[in-house]
Amino acid sequence: MTRVTIAGLGRRGEGIAEVDGRRVFVPFTVPGDVADIAVEGERATLVSLLASGPGRVAPSCGYFGVCGGCALQHLAPAAYAAFKRDLVAEALRQAGIEAAIATLVDARGDGRRRTTLHARREGAGYMRARSHELLAIEACPILVPALQAAAPRLARALHAAVGDSDVAVTATATGLDVAVATGRKLGPGRLLPLAQRLGVARLSLDGELVLETHAPALRMGKALVELPPASFLQATAAAEETLAALVIAGLGKARSVADLFCGVGPFALRVAESARVFAADSDRAAIAALARAVRFTRGLKPVTAIARDLFRDPLAPVELDSYDAIVFDPPRAGAEAQAREIARSKVKTVVAVSCEPRSFARDAALLLAGGYRLAEVTPVDQFVYSPHVELVGVFRR
């Protein structure tokens, strides 16, 4: 047992203490906490909190501290917002980039609209903190109301039919989209009677459709997009609206826009209300969903949607130079190859959306070396109580 005073927060939201001249990371602590901890290498377990730091508040969920899902419910709002903003500032600083960083935008909205639960004999829930042991839960308060108690209940019912599995549930405008992964050879037919009783919009088992009563769909601008199974979505509806508004503001009066890593079109469909759009993504099902939404939506400018692997085959300057602006929203790894090509282009405006400040900073450095300036950066909080942050950066040539 070691008694420490927490001096700061690490990048994962863990408290930092000094023990025998080295840093130790202590989950669920805040600066100023005095605590007894059990040290295990560079990490420690909080054994007893003796005095609370000024940035500590009571967590909103009874599972907090045991559940491995949330890391920051104990952090006061001002300290929480500063931590998230500092994730962006530190990533840029390490890359040698100076930029004005806006105040964190709260985009949690009604909660997360998608979750994946582990279903086991003892119940359904998330893994315990720093463990592969299941924590069975009755409800998760950071989800949208339609999922808070319904998702664990669905997962428990499905476990009775297929055994140990992971159950992904998405709340859509037309009902719940449920995908079950077992890793075993099970015929989807065994779930059909249960699927009919559960009343979900769609149920799939290991990628095979069991039942679809309504195509799961979400409104994106004027369009209604039918979602392919396991398609990427922003964590919250409020974040999607916030990010789209920041993208459109950054694009300004652009009349032709390339939307790269476009997914099912949350930006492309909104941008197309005022500009011609070229959209590309490696996910063929997402591109098909975007193209279908365009066909059935009135009042849009022309949208060209193609399937293309932008990691292996990025758009070259000769293709990019015909557009007034570019928006790109890659996966967590970033878009290094595409950023290199954009840096060589003549496009005047680039808007980058990212869920990983460090890969954003790397790609930003490439654009800056190519003659762009980083005009503004806005951090957006949709990954509530986690050590992750979304951001939008606007570049001008």
Side-chain angles (χ1 to χ4, degrees):
M1 191 91 66
T2 304
R3 183 160 298 176
V4 297
T5 298
I6 303 300
L9 288 178
R11 184 168 50 83
R12 296 179 180 176
E14 299 164 323
I16 300 174
E18 186 173 303
V19 177
D20 297 330
R22 58 189 177 88
R23 295 201 311 174
V24 174
F25 297 93
V26 190
F28 312 124
T29 59
V30 304
D33 280 353
V34 179
D36 285 338
I37 63 173
V39 180
E40 305 167 18
E42 292 185 348
R43 298 175 64 82
T45 301
L46 175 63
V47 176
S48 179
L49 180 64
L50 305 176
S52 296
R56 176 177 285 278
V57 295
S60 57
C61 175
Y63 298 115
F64 181 72
V66 181
C67 177
C70 289
L72 298 168
Q73 285 191 17
H74 62 308
L75 202 56
Y80 175 91
F83 168 77
K84 292 266 180 154
R85 185 179 181 277
D86 286 348
L87 290 174
V88 178
E90 180 61 15
L92 294 177
R93 187 193 67 77
Q94 290 186 0
I97 297 173
E98 293 185 5
I101 303 174
T103 302
L104 179 75
V105 178
D106 185 344
R108 69 188 71 188
D110 292 333
R112 290 194 179 216
R113 55 188 176 180
R114 167 175 286 173
T115 189
T116 298
L117 294 166
H118 308 293
R120 303 291 186 267
R121 182 172 56 186
E122 59 268 37
Y126 305 118
M127 293 304 175
R128 292 176 179 270
R130 298 178 62 186
S131 169
H132 295 292
E133 181 184 348
L134 179 75
L135 173 68
I137 66 171
E138 293 299 319
C140 176
I142 70 167
L143 303 179
V144 293
L147 293 183
Q148 288 182 4
R153 186 169 60 247
L154 279 169
R156 290 192 295 269
L158 290 162
H159 180 270
V162 301
D164 290 359
S165 54
D166 291 336
V167 181
V169 190
T170 303
T172 79
T174 51
L176 299 184
D177 183 15
V178 183
V180 183
T182 66
R184 303 187 303 280
K185 291 185 178 180
L186 299 172
R190 67 186 298 165
L191 272 182
L192 185 57
L194 177 59
Q196 292 169 329
R197 293 199 304 272
L198 291 175
V200 298
R202 178 170 63 198
L203 178 65
S204 58
L205 175 64
D206 293 322
E208 293 188 53
L209 183 66
V210 175
L211 177 72
E212 182 175 279
T213 57
H214 301 88
L218 288 173
R219 181 70 59 182
M220 296 182 180
K222 294 180 178 180
L224 187 67
V225 182
E226 294 183 359
L227 301 176
S231 60
F232 172 79
L233 288 176
Q234 299 295 346
T236 72
E240 183 180 293
E241 293 285 354
T242 298
L243 295 171
L246 289 168
V247 165
I248 290 170
L251 295 175
K253 297 181 179 180
R255 290 292 173 259
S256 59
V257 176
D259 182 1
L260 309 181
F261 307 94
C262 64
V264 295
F267 303 144
L269 290 165
R270 291 173 169 92
V271 172
E273 294 181 20
S274 60
R276 175 172 57 88
V277 176
F278 168 85
D281 197 287
S282 61
D283 187 335
R284 293 183 177 277
I287 289 294
L290 169 56
R292 176 180 173 82
V294 170
R295 287 198 304 272
F296 289 94
T297 305
R298 294 182 178 180
L300 299 182
K301 303 290 185 182
V303 177
T304 301
I306 68 164
R308 179 163 171 172
D309 186 341
L310 298 172
F311 293 105
R312 297 183 178 183
D313 184 22
L315 269 69
V318 68
E319 299 171 277
L320 296 169
D321 286 346
S322 62
Y323 300 103
D324 297 332
I326 297 167
V327 54
F328 68 101
D329 181 15
R332 188 171 297 277
E336 184 175 3
Q338 186 61 76
R340 291 185 184 279
E341 298 302 313
I342 295 172
R344 296 171 52 228
S345 77
K346 298 177 182 178
V347 180
K348 293 182 179 180
T349 299
V350 177
V351 181
V353 182
S354 175
C355 61
E356 174 46 73
R358 290 175 296 172
S359 62
F360 168 84
R362 181 204 62 211
D363 296 346
L366 295 173
L367 296 180
L368 296 179
Y372 287 91
R373 63 180 177 87
L374 181 51
E376 54 193 84
V377 179
T378 305
V380 177
D381 186 31
Q382 64 168 322
F383 307 112
V384 62
Y385 301 134
S386 81
H388 301 292
V389 64
E390 195 88 15
L391 65 99
V392 178
V394 179
F395 299 82
R396 310 287 185 194
R397 181 169 282 290

